Amino acid sequence: MFRAEYDDPEGGRHGGLPTFNYRHAPGGLYTRRQLALMGLTPGRQPIAAQILWRRGKRVAYLYRKDLARPKRPATPAQLRALMKAWVVLSTCPSCGTEYDYYIPRRYGECLDCFDGRKAN
Ligand SMILES: [Zn+2]
């Protein structure tokens, strides 16, 4: 369904950012996720436009495909850093066990430790 109130190609009502309804964005503009699927990254370009949906409660930013750059694969050093961060985030600080999930931040330890503490 066409919702005229979200079609604002000049961006006059949205702080100068061209605003479109979901599915009404002009060609050549894509979200970061859509660009990633094409092997591209927005690079340093500014946000070109935004789309609103769910009655304006959800927003997605659009970038120009012609300004996007090819995504470079991560270097070995970047991969090592990612792995290290992952190990830190998935190791329980209380019992030292490494899990295949991230330790929940709101518990600060693994679920076994958290449950054990609750039971005591
Ligand atoms: Zn633990």
Side-chain angles (χ1 to χ4, degrees):
M1 198 186 87
F2 186 78
R3 290 175 181 274
E5 66 263 38
Y6 298 125
D7 259 339
D8 184 15
E10 304 302 319
R13 276 173 285 137
H14 291 93
L17 200 58
T19 300
F20 300 94
N21 188 15
Y22 193 45
R23 294 181 201 281
H24 286 93
L29 295 180
Y30 297 92
T31 63
R32 185 178 284 275
R33 184 182 291 250
Q34 287 171 325
L35 286 175
L37 289 175
M38 295 182 272
L40 299 169
T41 173
R44 291 171 182 275
Q45 66 171 295
I47 294 163
Q50 62 184 352
I51 49 175
L52 298 175
W53 73 97
R54 293 224 179 145
R55 290 193 218 128
K57 284 183 186 152
R58 296 291 300 270
V59 61
Y61 297 116
L62 299 177
Y63 300 90
R64 285 172 55 180
K65 192 190 171 196
D66 57 338
L67 294 180
R69 295 149 180 252
K71 221 179 185 179
R72 275 181 305 183
T75 65
Q78 284 172 319
L79 286 176
R80 274 198 300 275
L82 283 171
M83 282 302 295
K84 226 163 135 186
W86 197 84
V87 167
V88 168
L89 286 171
S90 59
T91 301
C92 173
S94 301
C95 65
T97 308
E98 193 187 328
Y99 291 89
D100 56 3
Y101 58 84
Y102 283 175
I103 300 303
R105 269 212 203 153
R106 84 182 120 133
Y107 301 147
E109 55 190 357
C110 73
L111 295 176
D112 284 346
C113 287
F114 181 76
D115 284 344
R117 223 172 284 280
K118 239 179 15 183
N120 292 338

